Amino acid sequence: MPIGTFGPITFEVSVEKTRTFDEFSRKTAAKFEEHAIIGQKAKLEFISPGLDEISFQVIFSAFHGLNPLNEVKQFREIVQKGEYHPFIIGGETIGNFVIENISEAWKYIDNQGFVLYIAVDVSLKEYYLEPDPNAVKETTDTAAVQEEKAEKVAAAVEEPAKKTGLSVSQIAEMATIAVSCVRDPSLAITGMESILAATTDLQTGNASAAATASYIRMGLDVANLSVSAKSDPIGTAISVLDTLGNTSADKPTAAKSIYGSKAAGTVLQVAQKLREG
């Protein structure tokens, strides 16, 4: 089951593979200026909070269902691109971080040159983002503003939604849920379009192999979904989202394979909203 995520990397323990960390350490500090005073102890002046630092070790083992070289390559690319990502453990977002550096120890290499086991020491540093004043403003949206956003989203997806078989009232209901999860209408539109596309794929029998595998891992029967999607598209879409919100499978991977990586985050928020009722 998933333990946490850092951008595209999912830490998990399952029958198929184990990708997790050990020796987790977090450092929190503050910055002070020291002012010398003749004949007395110096005075400290608080300047600002410091940037948190995190370190841990990850073991990539071929015996745990992983390709060690591919796993390390993904970490190395994040370092070299200077990317920052949210670090999430157990559903709680610790903050945004960059990987300052990694140190690789190639422990086991077989007699054909295949790398079987790599231990990687990872050092993260907090990447502070200024609060978005627009985001703060949006948290105080009135009911009228929320309704206006929902109408905008509903209008944008009306054509593909009707092709899927949704009524005007059902489109409006889904749009209201979407904007309550993500206040940016463009994100809500992307999420709804992906949900509708996934429903259309079920109706036409065109679900991808990756999506089909995720349905199965979540305990859903793809043949039954295809039948229900034709007669009850909104019910099927909500049922899949509800299952995604409650599944013990890898939620991020399932969301990406079914709804696409661009909309996965928004869809997961919608699924969580449905789960909470």
Side-chain angles (χ1 to χ4, degrees), residues 19-60:
R19 184 192 298 105
T20 187
F21 50 81
D22 196 7
E23 300 180 16
F24 184 95
S25 175
R26 181 177 183 178
K27 177 183 177 182
T28 301
K31 291 186 178 181
F32 291 87
E33 186 74 31
E34 185 174 311
H35 300 283
I37 301 176
I38 297 175
Q40 298 182 32
K41 287 189 175 182
K43 298 291 186 180
L44 289 180
E45 178 186 5
F46 175 73
I47 302 300
S48 68
L51 297 173
D52 280 12
E53 297 178 12
I54 289 176
S55 63
F56 54 82
Q57 185 179 81
V58 188
I59 302 298
F60 298 130

Side-chain angles (χ1 to χ4, degrees), residues 185-201:
S186 63
L187 293 178
I189 291 169
T190 298
M192 278 197 65
E193 287 176 339
S194 297
I195 292 170
L196 293 169
T199 305
T200 300
D201 287 343

Side-chain angles (χ1 to χ4, degrees), residues 37-106:
I37 301 176
I38 297 175
Q40 298 182 32
K41 287 189 175 182
K43 298 291 186 180
L44 289 180
E45 178 186 5
F46 175 73
I47 302 300
S48 68
L51 297 173
D52 280 12
E53 297 178 12
I54 289 176
S55 63
F56 54 82
Q57 185 179 81
V58 188
I59 302 298
F60 298 130
S61 172
F63 305 107
H64 292 159
L66 303 175
N67 182 319
L69 288 178
N70 287 346
E71 297 288 335
V72 172
K73 180 182 178 182
Q74 189 172 31
F75 270 86
R76 198 182 298 128
E77 287 177 347
I78 293 175
V79 175
Q80 294 173 339
K81 291 178 181 178
E83 298 175 346
Y84 73 86
H85 294 288
F87 192 20
I88 302 171
I89 299 179
E92 179 180 351
T93 301
I94 296 177
N96 292 305
F97 288 83
V98 297
I99 301 180
E100 272 201 304
N101 61 77
I102 60 174
S103 177
E104 307 169 23
W106 296 20

